[in-house]
Amino acid sequence: MRIAVLGGGHGCWAAAAELAEQGHDVRWWRRDARAHEALRAAGAVTVRDHRGTRQVPVGDADGAIRPVTDLAEAVREAALIVIPLPSTTHQDLAARLAPLLADGQVVFLPPGTLGSVLFAKAMAGAGNSAEVAFAETGTLPYLARRHGDTEIVISCYATRLPTGVFPSRLADKAFGVLREAYPSVEAAEDGLSGALMNAGPIIHPPLIMMNAGPLEHFEAWDIHNEGTQQSIRRVTDALDAERVALREALGYRAPHFPLADHYATDGEEWMYGRAAHEKLTDSGDWREKIDLLSHRYMLEDTRLGLSLLVSVGRWAGVPTPVAQGLLSIASAITGRDLYAEGRTLESLGLAGLSRDELAQLLVEGFES
């Protein structure tokens, strides 16, 4: 099928390459029209993973991946639009995409931080009444890092992708499309359920806040290797328990994909399979310099992800003291009110809804 991949992050490279290798017609759009020049010159993306190293052709006419500079051209007639970008990009991209979407399309946000609602709201605000499904899942389908101008290294592929659809009345059609590209997707109840599967706000804020000293002192520090110690894991488990308690209070069913399974070697299969943590640390690609003021672990997973957890907890009457504490520490580190800047029910205009009203919205969606 025709698929549009939007963005230039590591996950976007991995998505374009994998989906093209599956035989799909992939159009790859980036904001920076010059960003694809090296790939055009090379004529291929080099992919390196557990299967070895190979080339995926790139070209305007005969490439498996077709780079495009016009957003409307990229999404025109695409059955699936994949946006594996940080949620910090959503506000701008949602406004640009809103008038371009057409009946039957599926927009996939891996992960979303309730981006499914944000994109749908932008579409309604633009007066576009097309029937479009917005899906979001708990993590990127890949653990990947770009090497140089033409190579992507994929350390791990997701084996289970818990995914919610907004509005959920379109879920059956959406999953029919999604599974052609990502057979590992598993149905969650709705868009909010999918948002509350997001692993990033659980794993990254404790790691960066509790490794702040080494991150500022050393040229490079691997928060997932030396930076993952038992005291930090206990905080992560407590934070994840708040997420699971919130899901249960809202009536969402197991599996909740507890993050402890990510670290286990013999437990339940997590999103990246068993022993996912070892695959990540063995790659060496996550030994990096993390600027606590600008890195996406702070601006996305903490500012947007933790603020969403705290917001939904307040709305539902479920305490989230660890999430609130980490968010407060992050605000002190950055000198910014990250909750006020966050993606919250307040910022989405949903905080005044009753439980019944929110439940209806999650099923029916917005009226344009």
Side-chain angles (χ1 to χ4, degrees):
M1 62 184 171
R2 177 166 293 175
I3 299 176
V5 175
L6 308 185
H10 306 291
C12 303
W13 281 66
E18 188 205 20
L19 295 170
E21 283 197 294
Q22 290 178 9
H24 298 293
D25 174 11
V26 176
R27 296 185 180 188
W28 187 6
W29 173 87
R30 299 181 65 176
R31 284 180 176 82
D32 182 358
R34 297 171 297 176
H36 278 131
E37 288 178 0
L39 282 176
R40 289 179 187 275
V45 173
T46 300
V47 179
R48 183 151 48 95
D49 62 10
H50 65 280
R51 292 173 289 173
T53 301
R54 57 203 179 276
Q55 309 291 312
V56 180
V58 173
D60 293 330
D62 55 356
I65 301 170
R66 179 181 171 188
V68 296
T69 58
D70 180 66
L71 181 59
E73 180 186 358
V75 303
R76 188 178 301 121
E77 298 180 355
L80 177 63
I81 300 167
V82 182
I83 308 177
L85 284 169
S87 51
T88 51
T89 67
H90 287 175
Q91 198 80 36
D92 174 70
L93 186 55
R96 299 178 67 171
L97 192 61
L100 305 176
L101 296 171
D103 278 331
Q105 290 184 314
V106 177
V107 177
F108 188 38
L109 303 165
T113 320
L114 214 53
S116 58
V117 171
L118 186 150
F119 273 80
K121 189 174 183 181
M123 188 178 161
N128 186 345
S129 59
E131 289 254 286
V132 176
F134 298 88
E136 60 179 274
T137 189
T139 190
L140 275 171
Y142 325 90
L143 292 175
R145 281 291 186 267
R146 185 165 63 89
H147 288 205
D149 293 329
T150 61
E151 182 179 29
I152 185 70
V153 177
I154 305 174
S155 303
C156 191
Y157 293 85
T159 59
R160 301 180 70 187
L161 287 171
T163 301
V165 173
F166 181 86
S168 62
R169 62 184 175 82
L170 301 178
D172 288 346
K173 291 181 180 179
F175 282 114
V177 172
L178 285 167
R179 289 189 174 114
E180 286 192 48
Y182 293 103
S184 56
V185 297
E186 300 182 18
E189 292 89 342
D190 53 41
L192 179 56
S193 179
L196 293 175
M197 292 290 192
N198 192 350
I202 306 303
I203 190 169
H204 295 134
L207 286 177
I208 61 170
M209 248 72 77
M210 299 179 76
N211 280 283
L215 284 172
E216 291 190 334
H217 178 73
F218 294 111
E219 186 63 30
W221 181 255
D222 190 340
I223 59 174
H224 298 286
N225 194 5
E226 297 92 338
T228 299
Q229 300 298 329
Q230 287 305 306
S231 58
I232 299 174
R233 284 284 297 108
R234 287 192 289 271
V235 172
T236 304
D237 285 344
L239 177 60
D240 204 32
E242 293 178 0
R243 177 188 68 89
V244 172
L246 184 53
R247 286 182 51 80
E248 291 176 340
L250 294 173
Y252 295 131
R253 302 180 301 274
H256 301 298
F257 288 81
L259 193 61
D261 290 340
H262 165 72
Y263 293 97
T265 57
D266 57 357
E268 284 292 317
E269 182 177 347
W270 197 67
M271 297 182 200
Y272 293 117
R274 292 183 176 84
H277 183 66
E278 282 73 14
K279 297 174 188 176
L280 186 152
T281 55
D282 288 350
S283 72
D285 272 342
W286 276 259
R287 183 173 298 280
E288 59 186 339
K289 182 66 176 178
I290 294 177
D291 184 334
L292 290 172
L293 301 182
S294 61
H295 198 275
R296 72 173 187 85
Y297 293 166
M298 181 67 80
L299 298 185
E300 178 187 19
D301 292 321
T302 306
R303 182 183 59 163
L304 301 185
L306 282 189
S307 68
L308 180 63
L309 280 178
V310 171
S311 168
V312 177
R314 291 176 181 176
W315 176 84
V318 177
T320 56
V322 178
Q324 178 62 74
L326 288 165
L327 192 61
S328 297
I329 292 171
S331 293
I333 289 173
T334 59
R336 300 161 62 172
D337 185 345
L338 297 188
Y339 186 86
E341 297 179 17
R343 184 168 298 171
T344 62
L345 294 185
E346 293 93 330
S347 70
L348 292 169
L350 307 180
L353 298 181
S354 67
R355 289 207 180 196
D356 287 344
E357 289 169 335
L358 181 60
Q360 182 177 2
L361 176 68
L362 291 169
V363 173
E364 297 296 334
F366 296 102
E367 293 183 5
S368 62

